[in-house]
Amino acid sequence: MSLWGATVITNLMSAIPWVGQDIVESKNNQEHIVFAVLATALTTSKPVLPIIGIFKPKSRANRDKRLTSAEYLLIPKSFIAFLVGFIDGDGHIQISNSHKDFVSFNLVISIHINDLSVLYYIQSVLKLGTIYTYPNHKSPCCRLIFNKTELQEVFFPLLLCNGIFFLTDKRRSQFNMAMHILIKDIKMYSVLPELPPVLFKLPENAVGYVNLSFFKDWIVGFTMAEGSFFVKGNKDGCFQLKQRLHAELFEAFKLIFESNRKITINKDIYLQFAVSSRSDIQKVINFFSFSGHHSLIGLKGIQYSTWLTALKNSSRYGNLKLPD
């Protein structure tokens, strides 16, 4: 984590009534102090979900359906990691130049309309966001949109409190810019930096990704967006993950699924991790069915169940350990 990231959380802590300024302003081992204070704040009898940046009272409208700070802090880390992985694949933080150069941003998750239940599931857990449907588009879709206030007061603080962050380049850049806008209280789009300060540094190698406490649940969410389970024409069962070039991230997939399969490059811009051997498929099943991670849901959950049925009825894969 960068010094700026530690400073951000330090600023958040200064808003908590029982955090003294002597601790907040300390320059010694700042990063360790910040997390020690954060851990203390979250284990007190009155835990607080701090707000990022400055807010106006009018922006706090429509909060009747929200959870309390204590309830938000009880949301399982597995769900938050799952959601971040899903957003890394199928979401984006839209930062735009609105009327008279004023900067605005929101977070948008956009998926096919047939997967609408996934958005309702996310909304039901977070009690945030507005769902829109576009059934008449050429590609019918639905969107869940979190506005700036919801990101400022709930979602971004939840990421910081849980130590969870985005792992794909575009989403990381968008998140860093949004956080920079909030912390610096930037109003005008024209003064935004080309490259905002980095809040969380990526791991330096594949092992570093594997060691992230949230990585496995993140993979479930990322699979929801960028993965697929299918049976080839030659009856081979296949699991595949595909995305733009993130070499160390895809090497980490190999470690998680204990596979020696080579990562392939598609059109020089996409990496693909794909397995089909009996031993590799068993490891995939172990990961998604027997490891206690967040479940696949929606259409991808249905695709996985259909895939398992096909494997069960296959002479090649029928003897694998499959869920009931």
Side-chain angles (χ1 to χ4, degrees):
M1 182 178 181
S2 66
L3 177 61
W4 187 81
T7 302
V8 168
I9 303 181
T10 303
N11 291 339
L12 297 180
M13 293 304 101
S14 67
I16 300 178
W18 56 83
V19 176
Q21 285 297 311
D22 290 340
I23 294 179
V24 172
E25 294 174 359
S26 172
K27 304 299 182 183
N28 298 322
N29 299 317
Q30 182 183 45
E31 192 170 319
H32 297 291
I33 291 173
V34 166
F35 283 101
V37 171
L38 181 59
T40 301
L42 297 183
T43 54
T44 59
S45 58
K46 295 181 180 180
V48 168
L49 190 66
I51 294 171
I52 301 173
I54 299 171
F55 67 89
K56 296 180 180 179
K58 288 184 180 179
S59 71
R60 298 171 67 84
N62 301 322
R63 294 171 54 91
D64 54 313
K65 294 182 179 180
R66 295 246 197 117
L67 303 176
T68 65
S69 285
E71 289 171 328
Y72 274 119
L73 292 171
L74 290 175
I75 291 177
K77 187 173 181 177
S78 59
F79 169 82
I80 299 170
F82 158 85
L83 179 55
V84 169
F86 188 48
I87 294 171
D88 257 320
D90 269 343
H92 69 279
I93 300 171
Q94 181 177 323
I95 300 173
S96 56
N97 184 349
S98 61
H99 182 62
K100 294 184 179 180
D101 196 41
F102 284 105
V103 64
S104 64
F105 66 84
N106 54 31
L107 190 154
V108 182
I109 303 172
S110 182
I111 56 179
H112 194 279
I113 197 167
N114 289 345
D115 226 2
L116 179 61
S117 64
V118 172
L119 300 188
Y120 279 117
Y121 165 67
I122 295 169
Q123 187 184 56
S124 72
V125 175
L126 291 177
K127 309 300 181 186
L128 299 175
T130 304
I131 293 175
Y132 300 91
T133 59
Y134 305 90
N136 298 321
H137 280 195
K138 185 176 181 180
S139 297
C141 68
C142 52
R143 293 172 184 162
L144 173 60
I145 300 179
F146 299 143
N147 63 38
K148 175 183 176 181
T149 302
E150 292 170 325
L151 298 176
Q152 176 183 28
E153 295 184 0
V154 179
F155 187 58
F156 286 174
L158 274 177
L159 299 189
L160 297 180
C161 288
N162 285 279
I164 296 174
F165 47 92
F166 297 104
L167 298 181
T168 59
D169 292 340
K170 282 192 175 181
R171 221 63 64 236
R172 284 168 46 74
S173 178
Q174 293 163 357
F175 172 73
N176 288 333
M177 184 66 80
M179 287 291 293
H180 184 67
I181 291 168
L182 291 174
I183 295 302
K184 296 296 185 180
D185 194 28
I186 295 174
K187 299 291 194 300
M188 313 308 291
Y189 186 89
S190 57
V191 302
L192 293 181
E194 184 176 346
L195 294 174
V198 175
L199 181 54
F200 290 99
K201 291 181 179 178
L202 285 177
E204 296 181 357
N205 51 47
V207 174
Y209 281 95
V210 172
N211 289 335
L212 292 173
S213 63
F214 63 89
F215 188 53
K216 292 180 180 179
D217 288 296
W218 180 94
I219 288 176
V220 178
F222 189 72
T223 299
M224 289 275 298
E226 305 292 351
S228 56
F229 304 88
F230 58 95
V231 177
K232 298 179 181 179
N234 63 0
K235 306 301 181 181
D236 279 355
C238 185
F239 167 64
Q240 175 181 288
L241 288 168
K242 184 178 180 181
Q243 232 259 2
R244 290 186 179 273
L245 300 178
H246 293 87
E248 298 299 337
L249 177 61
F250 272 71
E251 288 297 324
F253 294 155
K254 290 176 59 175
L255 295 179
I256 288 292
F257 293 103
E258 302 176 57
S259 174
N260 293 320
R261 291 285 297 178
K262 183 180 179 180
I263 301 298
T264 58
I265 301 178
N266 238 329
K267 300 179 180 179
D268 294 327
I269 57 173
Y270 290 101
L271 290 179
Q272 179 175 293
F273 168 74
V275 296
S276 60
S277 71
R278 279 176 50 84
S279 60
D280 281 343
I281 291 299
Q282 182 65 73
K283 290 164 188 171
V284 170
I285 295 169
N286 291 345
F287 180 87
F288 288 105
S289 293
F290 300 118
S291 299
H293 308 313
H294 194 288
S295 300
L296 293 164
I297 60 174
L299 293 180
K300 197 56 58 72
I302 294 172
Q303 184 186 86
Y304 178 63
S305 295
T306 302
W307 183 69
L308 290 176
T309 299
L311 297 182
K312 185 177 181 179
N313 295 326
S314 163
S315 58
R316 181 180 182 188
Y317 302 102
N319 292 328
L320 296 180
K321 179 184 177 183
L322 299 167
D324 294 333

